[in-house]
Amino acid sequence: MYEGAVQDLIDELGRLPGVGPKSAQRIAFHLLAAESADVGRLVAALQRVQAEVRFCVTCYNVAEAEQCRICRDPRRSDDVICVVEEPKDVVAIERTREFRGRYHVLGGAISPIEGVGPDDLRVKELMTRLMHGSVTELILATDPNLEGEATAAYLARLVRPLGLTVSRLASGLPVGGDLEYADEITLGRAFEGRRRIDA
């Protein structure tokens, strides 16, 4: 335990996701030793994010205007929506440069253990978009874990009456990986998602 301001800083840093007590202490002492201008830039960046960043009114990605840059882009396809859990997932998919449709950010995944149900996510907003739009395909790009799979299964059942094509991102072996190191679930999914080779 440290005195006053130092302990308050460690406590606040420790509330951040993925930052434990030791990391919080390390960051706090890094900030104490840093140049005042560096700390000022950090404070200014945090204040700017708090004041200017919001969620897009269409897809719920992070935005500095009413709509995010993806929703404002007229070159994007309106007939495909990729559903993701968090804005960071949009960034990951955008880095591939493979997807040219629109997104919908749920704000999490169904997790009964954590008390998160469909009503806690942006499912109603997704259904509204699907009812009023020209969407023909829904890509479910939730995480390949228990919560992500449950969320994808729930959404697939929910949108079935709409007659949309519903797909799920493939999962399996990473490029350059060895079979002997793959776990059973990953290997099983790789077998399920195998594709034909036309020689």
Side-chain angles (χ1 to χ4, degrees), residues 37 50 110 128 163 198:
Q50 185 70 39
I110 295 171
T128 300
D198 295 319

Side-chain angles (χ1 to χ4, degrees), residues 180-194:
E180 66 180 300
Y181 299 119
D183 62 273
E184 294 83 12
I185 294 172
T186 302
L187 202 50
R189 286 188 181 154
F191 267 99
E192 286 173 17
R194 70 187 182 277

Side-chain angles (χ1 to χ4, degrees), residues 56-188:
C56 174
V57 296
T58 304
C59 73
Y60 301 94
N61 190 13
V62 290
E64 289 189 15
E66 192 168 311
Q67 283 190 313
C68 69
R69 66 174 177 76
I70 294 170
C71 288
R72 290 191 315 262
D73 188 347
R75 298 168 298 176
R76 304 297 289 228
S77 172
D78 289 326
D79 60 342
V80 182
I81 291 180
C82 180
V83 179
V84 297
E85 293 179 22
E86 302 290 345
K88 62 184 172 52
D89 302 324
V90 172
V91 173
I93 293 170
E94 284 296 291
R95 277 197 311 256
T96 69
R97 299 176 193 259
E98 293 290 327
F99 181 66
R100 298 299 303 155
R102 307 286 182 181
Y103 291 94
H104 187 84
V105 180
L106 292 171
I110 295 171
S111 177
I113 293 171
E114 294 178 20
V116 178
D119 292 339
D120 300 309
L121 306 175
R122 296 187 189 103
V123 175
K124 285 185 217 119
E125 294 86 344
L126 173 63
M127 294 306 290
T128 300
R129 287 180 74 187
L130 296 177
M131 303 272 193
H132 300 306
S134 57
V135 178
T136 58
E137 181 181 3
L138 194 66
I139 301 171
L140 302 175
T142 54
D143 289 343
N145 56 25
L146 191 61
E147 295 81 7
E149 294 292 340
T151 304
Y154 173 80
L155 291 174
R157 279 194 310 274
L158 189 65
V159 302
R160 185 174 291 134
L162 301 177
L164 301 174
T165 299
V166 179
S167 59
R168 182 97 170 100
L169 286 186
S171 59
L173 299 171
V175 174
D178 290 329
L179 285 179
E180 66 180 300
Y181 299 119
D183 62 273
E184 294 83 12
I185 294 172
T186 302
L187 202 50

